[in-house]
Amino acid sequence: MDASNIFGKILDGEVPCHRVYEDDHTLAFLDIFPLSFGHTLVIPKQRCAYLHELSDDSAAAIGRVLPRIARAVLQATGATAYNLLQNNGAAAHQAVFHVHFHIIPRVGDAGLGVGWHPSPLAADAAAELCGRIVDAL
Ligand code: 5GP
């Protein structure tokens, strides 16, 4: 099975899933190898690999349902904390190349392990970078 388009196969009904939500633009289902009980995936029906490829309409549709699905996952599991994770690119831990958002409840030690190693940002580098991003928008 081609892991790069397994979510396409789920969308096409060729591969089963535990569906928790569906509308015209999005589908949400339980992750098959959950990091914690309740780990849920939310995907757009638009077929693209990376977040930055999504149309504004698909992005808005995902944004509209994420809080609602997160509330339902919390209510169903009893969790009170969770991480929202969205990986883009193999180097960023993406394994399935169809845009997806993870909702991962944090219960005790179960959930997303985060390696967070911040470093200071110099004011001149920040100003220069900020300008480049603004120009690119
Ligand atoms: P990624 O590392 O690409 O952000 O995460 C992909 C996620 O998809 C993983 O958490 C993995 O467990 C999940 N996954 C992979 N194949 C399937 C599948 O066939 N069905 C479901 N429900 N989840 C899958």
Side-chain angles (χ1 to χ4, degrees), residues 6-7 10 29-33 39 41 87 93-96 100 102:
I6 188 79
F7 294 169
I10 288 176
F29 51 91
L30 299 182
D31 194 295
I32 203 168
F33 294 116
H39 184 165
L41 301 171
N87 299 326
H93 213 281
Q94 185 176 12
V96 177
H100 53 281
H102 300 253

Side-chain angles (χ1 to χ4, degrees), residues 34-118:
L35 286 178
S36 61
F37 194 56
H39 184 165
T40 300
L41 301 171
V42 185
I43 71 172
K45 290 189 174 177
Q46 185 184 357
R47 290 163 200 253
C48 48
Y50 308 118
L51 180 75
H52 55 270
E53 297 174 327
L54 279 183
S55 68
D56 287 356
D57 282 349
S58 283
I62 287 270
R64 198 178 305 115
V65 299
L66 275 172
R68 199 163 135 206
I69 297 168
R71 280 193 296 275
V73 169
L74 293 180
Q75 188 175 322
T77 61
T80 55
Y82 63 101
N83 291 95
L84 190 67
L85 176 69
Q86 205 279 312
N87 299 326
N88 295 279
H93 213 281
Q94 185 176 12
V96 177
F97 289 86
H98 180 115
V99 175
H100 53 281
F101 287 75
H102 300 253
I103 297 171
I104 309 170
R106 181 80 191 189
V107 181
D109 288 338
L112 179 68
V114 179
W116 192 282
H117 308 291

